[in-house]
Amino acid sequence: MADKRNMNAHDRRKGLGLGIAVGALGVLAVLGITGLIVVYSGAYNVAATEEHASFTRWAFDTTFHNSVEQHADDITVPGNFTPEMIAAGATAYKSMCQHCHAGPGVDRAGWASGMRPRPPHLAEAAAEWKPQEVFWIVRHGIKMSGMPAFGPTHDEQAIWNIAAFVKQLPAMTPEEYARLGGAQQNGGSHGGGGHHGGAAQTTGAGGGGSQGGAPQSDAPQATGAPSRTQGSAPAGASGAAHGAHPQ
């Protein structure tokens, strides 16, 4: 009698587990079919004049942060960010980045506000990222965001210079920002500069060869510079665009 009751209970649990599995597969099938309908019907509005839905924004942002953290985890950061690196990075930033990401006392270009997702103000957002994560983002870019990859066109030292400057932005005053890297108003040079300008082609240790760099004495001392993690600095040789990275 007891054996029969045990067998019945076992059969009920087995049937319940099978029912849950079938139900889950059914839900996945419906979601898959719905996704295909959305993709092929064109029902989803891709216009940048429409804000992302809350779920879409959460999904993109969470995927973005987790992916960068994972892929940048084993990048070796220089022992310190020198004033020369910061000054060189300022020139590149104002030429290629300011029009989207603004700066202390300087707004992004008007057209950048129409991008989806909207580029963050790095004077605030840079505090959320580690130096190696900023380096990875600048080097590899971000898909479906308008953020280009600078690695194919800029050497490793130039990218570290930009990362060094970006990490100083949250603590930088408008006056300090204005002194560094030459004057670029409201997004800098939209014609000759932009994302593919040559201003960031800085080579050599410390980035001293940047075009139009501000006087070295104007560069603020790096605050909170990361300690050397593996005893090596990024390659400074010209054209070393494919150094060690976590790809």
Side-chain angles (χ1 to χ4, degrees):
M1 194 73 169
D3 291 342
K4 186 175 181 180
R5 285 197 299 270
N6 290 336
M7 289 179 62
N8 290 336
H10 175 73
D11 290 342
R12 283 196 298 271
R13 287 195 298 270
K14 185 176 180 181
L16 179 61
L18 181 61
I20 292 174
V22 170
L25 289 174
V27 170
L28 291 175
V30 170
L31 290 175
I33 293 171
T34 302
L36 288 174
I37 291 174
V38 171
V39 169
Y40 282 103
S41 69
Y44 180 76
N45 188 355
V46 299
T49 51
E50 298 288 333
E51 293 284 352
H52 283 302
S54 297
F55 175 79
T56 304
R57 185 163 49 247
W58 170 83
F60 282 172
D61 189 63
T62 303
T63 301
F64 166 47
H65 278 78
N66 290 338
S67 178
V68 173
E69 288 174 8
Q70 177 182 342
H71 287 87
D73 186 58
D74 61 353
I75 293 178
T76 300
V77 181
N80 55 68
F81 292 149
T82 66
E84 292 79 11
M85 291 176 68
I86 296 169
T91 299
Y93 182 90
K94 289 187 175 182
S95 174
M96 301 184 299
C97 312
Q98 177 180 276
H99 50 278
C100 283
H101 296 291
V106 179
D107 291 333
R108 64 163 70 94
W111 54 262
S113 294
M115 299 176 67
R116 298 291 180 272
R118 189 174 289 110
H121 282 88
L122 289 182
E124 302 166 0
E128 302 174 8
W129 299 98
K130 298 176 182 177
Q132 63 268 31
E133 293 168 350
V134 176
F135 174 87
W136 191 93
I137 292 171
V138 175
R139 187 175 195 178
H140 296 284
I142 304 297
K143 294 176 180 177
M144 300 178 69
S145 73
M147 174 65 194
F150 289 95
T153 55
H154 295 75
D155 65 36
E156 193 168 295
Q157 182 62 55
I159 298 174
W160 277 116
N161 292 344
I162 296 172
F165 178 73
V166 167
K167 284 301 296 177
Q168 306 309 307
L169 286 175
M172 193 176 293
T173 66
E175 292 74 21
E176 290 172 332
Y177 182 82
R179 286 199 302 268
L180 286 165
Q184 296 283 351
Q185 296 300 324
N186 295 327
S189 172
H190 290 218
H195 282 151
H196 305 289
Q201 282 288 11
T202 307
T203 59
S210 68
Q211 298 179 13
Q216 308 290 350
S217 59
D218 284 338
Q221 293 296 326
T223 57
S227 59
R228 188 182 301 275
T229 58
Q230 298 179 12
S232 61
S238 176
H242 300 286
H245 58 81
Q247 280 293 72

